Amino acid sequence: MKGIKLFRVLGIQISINYTWFIVFGLIAWSLASGYFPAHYPGLSPSAHWIMGFLGAFFLFLSVLIHELTHSYIAQREGMEVKEITLFIFGGVSQLTKEPEDSKKELKVALGGPLSSLVLALIFWILFRATVRSPHLILFSGLLGYLAFINLSLAIFNLIPGFPLDGGRVLRALYWRKTGSLKKATQIASEIGKWIGVGIILLGLFWILTGNLIGGFWFVIIGIFLRSAAEWGLQQVLTKRALEGVQVKELMSSGVISVPPSLRIDQLVENFYLAHKHITYPVMEGERIIGIITLKQVKEVPRNQWVEKTVREGMMPIREEIMLDPDGEAVDALQKMIRTGEGRLPVVKDGKVVGMITRRDILNLLEIKTDLGE
Ligand SMILES: [Zn+2]
């Protein structure tokens, strides 16, 4: 999932998904026009808007602290966390691998809701301390909302449907009982999907009975939950099926490469139309110096094809666009998803030993799934 990079904490890249801007606006708006006017009718609309924006901003920070707590525990348990992407009502901490045992999973899963509960308590104490002073009403109103929203975050995340924290707790318990992560994930994800449907139906019911804003939020959350449950299961199944499979087992050798001095028009004529691959390694003598993809060819204006060479159009070789033959297939797939490249060179000591496509990996996945492995 692509996001906008914000900053780094604990060595983790914090990013926000593009949807966050829309969601931020919607939250600020629904607070300023719904929640705060209903609870603090004596305040001016501009005060409601200030509270709305601050409320949305501190909600963002609360979600971030929740996610960071998960990541902090995960790191202490020996799992690497590279990035946290924040979006609607939560985030996705991108663990590079699944927890090794159910006990670790349980600790990581419970950390987030616990931090939200602690935040709720802190905001509630501050709310009680300020609620009696009339000139602090703007602050106490905000603090009261933050106590409420953090409590809601804790409760929402404890819903027992995977990939929510509660679903992870359920998965860990079931995993401990059966010893099968796959089976535990399937069940937790199935429950997650049904809870998603339930929340959508509840939201529709509310919309029909006049609670437009509340109902609208429930429908969005329900849809989000349903697809996240599906996606989370898919991820686990992919990782399981590709476990222990190495890049060199799936790559094709007998690589067709191109020299950097080749003109683009010759490249198109003699390679793209003749061999039908979308990416070629560019070789200078024995060494790979770059790759050229169809996307880059299309970036060169057609009337310059007879002047420009592969060297001018190619992507110079770097770590992100090459693979190690002894590397894991699942990491190769992740690299392809991250870079958006469907075909990457497999390189050993600067020499290309093969090429691997997303299709090569997905075919194996399909076969394994069909065989019911
Ligand atoms: Zn969480």
Side-chain angles (χ1 to χ4, degrees):
M1 195 147 319
K2 283 232 167 110
I4 300 163
K5 293 191 161 109
L6 293 184
F7 46 83
R8 298 182 81 90
V9 195
L10 302 169
I12 304 164
Q13 176 68 51
I14 311 295
S15 306
I16 48 172
N17 185 264
Y18 295 102
T19 56
W20 234 99
F21 290 103
I22 303 165
V23 175
F24 187 90
L26 280 173
I27 291 173
W29 169 73
S30 69
L31 286 178
S33 61
Y35 182 90
F36 286 126
H39 288 79
Y40 302 93
L43 291 172
S44 66
S46 58
H48 289 147
W49 273 103
I50 292 171
M51 291 165 92
F53 270 101
L54 288 175
F57 179 71
F58 280 101
L59 167 61
F60 167 79
L61 282 186
S62 300
V63 170
L64 181 62
I65 290 171
H66 175 114
E67 289 307 320
L68 277 175
T69 310
H70 283 305
S71 305
Y72 176 69
I73 300 173
Q75 282 184 335
R76 281 186 45 152
E77 295 294 330
M79 283 166 268
E80 199 189 343
V81 184
K82 280 192 178 154
E83 189 174 8
I84 295 176
T85 309
L86 294 167
F87 55 117
I88 314 177
F89 274 101
V92 175
S93 306
Q94 273 137 5
L95 295 182
T96 45
K97 52 183 180 187
E98 292 287 325
E100 290 148 24
D101 59 63
S102 54
K103 214 168 142 193
K104 286 182 180 174
E105 163 107 312
L106 203 59
K107 278 191 206 165
V108 174
L110 284 174
L114 203 67
S115 72
S116 295
L117 281 178
V118 171
L119 283 176
L121 190 68
I122 293 171
F123 284 126
W124 187 77
I125 290 169
L126 291 173
F127 166 72
R128 296 299 298 173
T130 50
V131 71
R132 271 173 235 283
S133 331
H135 58 285
L136 289 177
I137 187 162
L138 199 146
F139 288 101
S140 70
L142 193 61
L143 290 164
Y145 164 73
L146 290 169
F148 160 75
I149 202 72
N150 272 289
L151 183 65
S152 310
L153 273 176
I155 294 172
F156 172 71
N157 277 291
L158 282 171
I159 292 174
F162 187 79
L164 292 177
D165 301 332
R168 288 184 182 275
V169 170
L170 187 76
R171 176 169 86 151
L173 296 176
Y174 203 80
W175 184 9
R176 183 184 292 182
K177 214 177 119 198
T178 62
S180 163
L181 173 64
K182 191 177 145 189
K183 217 182 266 171
T185 309
Q186 271 165 335
I187 288 171
S189 150
E190 199 58 37
I191 296 173
K193 277 195 263 179
W194 283 108
I195 289 173
V197 173
I199 291 175
I200 294 170
L201 290 177
L202 192 65
L204 290 175
F205 173 75
W206 277 4
I207 289 172
L208 291 175
T209 52
N211 183 352
L212 274 183
I213 296 178
F216 170 73
W217 277 119
F218 267 56
V219 170
I220 289 186
I221 292 167
I223 292 172
F224 164 72
L225 210 84
R226 247 194 85 82
S227 63
E230 183 76 48
W231 188 74
L233 175 64
Q234 217 50 52
Q235 245 198 343
V236 171
L237 294 181
T238 306
K239 278 187 187 159
R240 283 271 126 159
L242 293 178
E243 200 153 61
V245 179
Q246 289 181 316
V247 168
K248 64 182 168 205
E249 297 171 54
L250 294 175
M251 71 182 190
S252 47
S253 34
V255 180
I256 300 165
S257 63
V258 297
S261 55
L262 191 73
R263 287 199 327 254
I264 300 287
D265 65 320
Q266 293 169 325
L267 173 76
V268 171
E269 187 72 24
N270 300 333
F271 290 87
Y272 276 103
L273 298 177
H275 302 291
K276 301 165 194 78
H277 291 311
I278 50 164
T279 304
Y280 294 91
V282 183
M283 307 282 278
E284 188 145 60
E286 291 274 278
R287 298 192 76 79
I288 180 165
I289 58 164
I291 61 173
I292 185 133
T293 70
L294 196 55
K295 206 174 94 200
Q296 289 157 328
V297 170
K298 284 197 285 187
E299 271 166 20
V300 179
R302 203 168 268 259
N303 56 11
Q304 292 173 22
W305 281 10
V306 287
E307 312 149 20
K308 288 259 158 73
T309 63
V310 166
R311 188 192 295 278
E312 293 163 273
M314 72 177 192
M315 201 188 301
I317 195 72
R318 53 176 209 276
E319 196 54 48
E320 286 88 66
I321 51 168
M322 59 185 193
L323 299 166
D324 180 353
D326 298 319
E328 298 254 352
V330 68
D331 296 333
L333 190 61
Q334 272 176 353
K335 225 174 207 184
M336 286 172 183
I337 293 168
R338 228 180 7 249
T339 58
E341 299 298 335
R343 189 170 194 257
L344 290 177
V346 184
V347 180
K348 185 151 191 127
D349 303 327
K351 282 182 194 156
V352 181
V353 292
M355 293 292 285
I356 189 167
T357 65
R358 194 177 305 182
R359 257 299 65 185
D360 294 331
I361 303 174
L362 295 181
N363 280 345
L364 176 75
L365 262 183
E366 266 169 41
I367 291 166
K368 282 204 163 183
T369 317
D370 273 359
L371 287 172
E373 270 195 35

